Amino acid sequence: MSIKIKDLTKIYGSQKAVDNISFEIKKGEIVGFLGPNGAGKSTTMKILTCYLPQTSGVVEVCGINTIENPLAVKSKVGYLPESNPLYYEMYVKEYLTFMASIHKIKNKKEKVEEMIKAVGLTREQNKKIGTLSKGYKQRVGLAQAMIHDPEVLVLDEPTSGLDPNQLVEIRSLIKEFGKEKTVLLSTHIMQEVEAICDRIIIINQGKIVADNKTSEIANNIVQMDFVSVEFSGAINFDKLSKIKDVVEVKIVKENTYLIAHNSKEDIRLLVSKFAQSEDVLILEMQREKEKLEEIFKKLTK
């Protein structure tokens, strides 16, 4: 396993920031680590990258214990913290060359040029880091995390501050990296998780409340199906809500509704009969999955 965490606990005073959590991540997985602010995400990542010691439990990266050999662990890990600490007075190329020296990379010049191109910093490579936009500073942070070709990449809010075009580029870069390596990333952007993550771990109040493949997490947590329907005119809302096996109806916009149900049959047939009884047409109707945002809210209330 690239990452192995067993019975991990971190206590600050009387507060348990991380409460006896366990999970494993194998090589080639991109895992989204989700949770509300203060849930324990960043604390877990700092312990995993040897920036914090745990109170109890065992953490291993590529089979190396973080307490017994932290330097060896750091050589295996690329880390982009949420705060993204950078030397603002240094130039981009200068800074990455400095980081390559710290990691004792032999072909420094070639590796720096490779990373500058990979994260899209070619035009900014001779600028001072302090003059860059937040998005470009984030790219510098990603470049330093990957410059030593680590086996594990730990990213805390990696796409914070990026514009839509930059988001696509960085997501693509992370997906490419994750084909042969291991990626653990935290984010509040649910579309990002769905776009690039193979698996989702959700933590709340220091405890893991969900851990499953991205494609299966809704099926295992939510026992309802959804249908979105747009009618040609006004309908009787109460009557719609009382259709057999309907659990909840939400108004999306005028004459458009999201119907949650637990019917084993195709509820669209019942909705069609309802439309006939109301003397309205169905302009559009389709099955939908519950959005990851809603699942997240249910698990972290």
Side-chain angles (χ1 to χ4, degrees):
M1 288 291 170
S2 293
I3 295 173
K4 184 176 181 179
I5 292 178
K6 183 171 177 58
D7 303 328
L8 176 64
T9 296
K10 179 64 179 178
I11 301 174
Y12 295 105
S14 60
Q15 180 187 1
K16 279 187 179 180
V18 179
D19 189 0
N20 197 41
I21 68 170
S22 300
F23 63 84
E24 296 180 354
I25 302 176
K26 62 186 180 181
K27 183 178 178 180
E29 275 193 294
I30 302 177
V31 177
F33 196 36
L34 311 183
N37 291 332
K41 302 187 305 296
S42 293
T43 297
T44 302
M45 288 179 156
K46 287 174 182 176
I47 292 170
L48 180 62
T49 53
C50 303
Y51 283 84
L52 273 179
Q54 61 265 45
T55 304
S56 63
V58 177
V59 179
E60 293 181 354
V61 177
C62 301
I64 306 167
N65 188 289
T66 55
I67 296 294
E68 294 173 0
N69 201 342
L71 281 178
V73 169
K74 288 180 179 181
S75 70
K76 300 283 187 182
V77 175
Y79 180 37
L80 175 61
E82 185 180 8
S83 57
N84 191 14
L86 298 168
Y87 294 117
Y88 282 10
E89 292 303 311
M90 295 184 79
Y91 296 90
V92 172
K93 194 171 185 177
E94 176 191 16
Y95 170 71
L96 293 177
T97 302
F98 170 63
M99 295 304 296
S101 300
I102 288 176
H103 288 291
K104 299 180 180 179
I105 296 172
K106 293 180 180 179
N107 54 336
K108 283 189 297 185
K109 184 177 179 181
E110 292 82 0
K111 194 63 181 178
V112 168
E113 289 176 355
E114 177 189 332
M115 291 315 306
I116 284 173
K117 184 178 179 181
V119 300
L121 284 168
T122 302
R123 291 194 302 175
E124 284 71 29
Q125 63 182 306
N126 296 316
K127 293 180 181 178
K128 277 191 175 182
I129 293 173
T131 66
L132 300 177
S133 68
K134 186 176 181 181
Y136 279 111
K137 286 174 183 169
Q138 204 71 357
R139 290 179 184 225
V140 176
L142 268 174
Q144 69 78 24
M146 296 190 294
I147 198 162
H148 58 298
D149 195 25
E151 293 184 39
V152 175
L153 193 59
V154 179
L155 308 174
D156 200 350
E157 302 287 346
T159 55
S160 174
L162 302 183
D163 65 37
N165 291 330
Q166 293 170 336
L167 274 173
V168 172
E169 293 168 4
I170 296 302
R171 285 175 185 170
S172 177
L173 186 64
I174 294 170
K175 285 189 79 169
E176 191 64 31
F177 185 94
K179 287 180 180 178
E180 298 180 354
K181 313 283 182 158
T182 303
V183 180
L184 177 67
L185 68 93
S186 75
T187 179
H188 290 292
I189 305 171
M190 298 302 163
Q191 296 92 333
E192 186 169 288
V193 175
E194 293 176 306
I196 66 176
C197 293
D198 309 306
R199 176 176 153 208
I200 298 171
I201 298 173
I202 301 178
I203 186 171
N204 187 43
Q205 296 181 355
K207 291 181 177 291
I208 291 176
V209 294
D211 181 354
N212 214 320
K213 291 181 180 180
T214 307
S215 59
E216 296 177 3
I217 195 162
N219 296 333
N220 288 350
I221 294 168
V222 182
Q223 302 301 317
M224 293 186 293
D225 292 317
F226 295 81
V227 168
S228 173
V229 58
E230 180 183 359
F231 298 106
S232 61
I235 53 92
N236 185 319
F237 181 85
D238 290 337
K239 191 175 175 183
L240 177 63
S241 303
K242 291 177 182 177
I243 290 177
K244 182 185 175 184
D245 295 327
V246 167
V247 176
E248 184 182 12
V249 178
K250 291 182 180 179
I251 300 173
V252 178
K253 58 184 180 180
E254 187 178 7
N255 299 330
T256 302
Y257 303 86
L258 182 65
I259 303 169
H261 67 95
N262 55 15
S263 175
K264 294 180 181 179
E265 301 174 7
D266 192 341
I267 202 166
R268 291 176 296 178
L269 296 173
L270 295 177
V271 175
S272 297
K273 290 179 181 178
F274 166 79
Q276 289 178 346
S277 70
E278 292 288 294
D279 197 26
V280 294
L281 298 174
I282 292 176
L283 301 180
E284 184 177 3
M285 181 164 57
Q286 59 184 6
R287 288 173 170 162
E288 290 193 5
K289 292 182 179 179
E290 184 164 28
K291 288 182 168 46
L292 187 56
E293 288 93 334
E294 296 301 320
I295 297 171
F296 178 83
K297 287 177 186 177
K298 287 180 180 179
L299 290 170
T300 58
K301 278 184 180 177

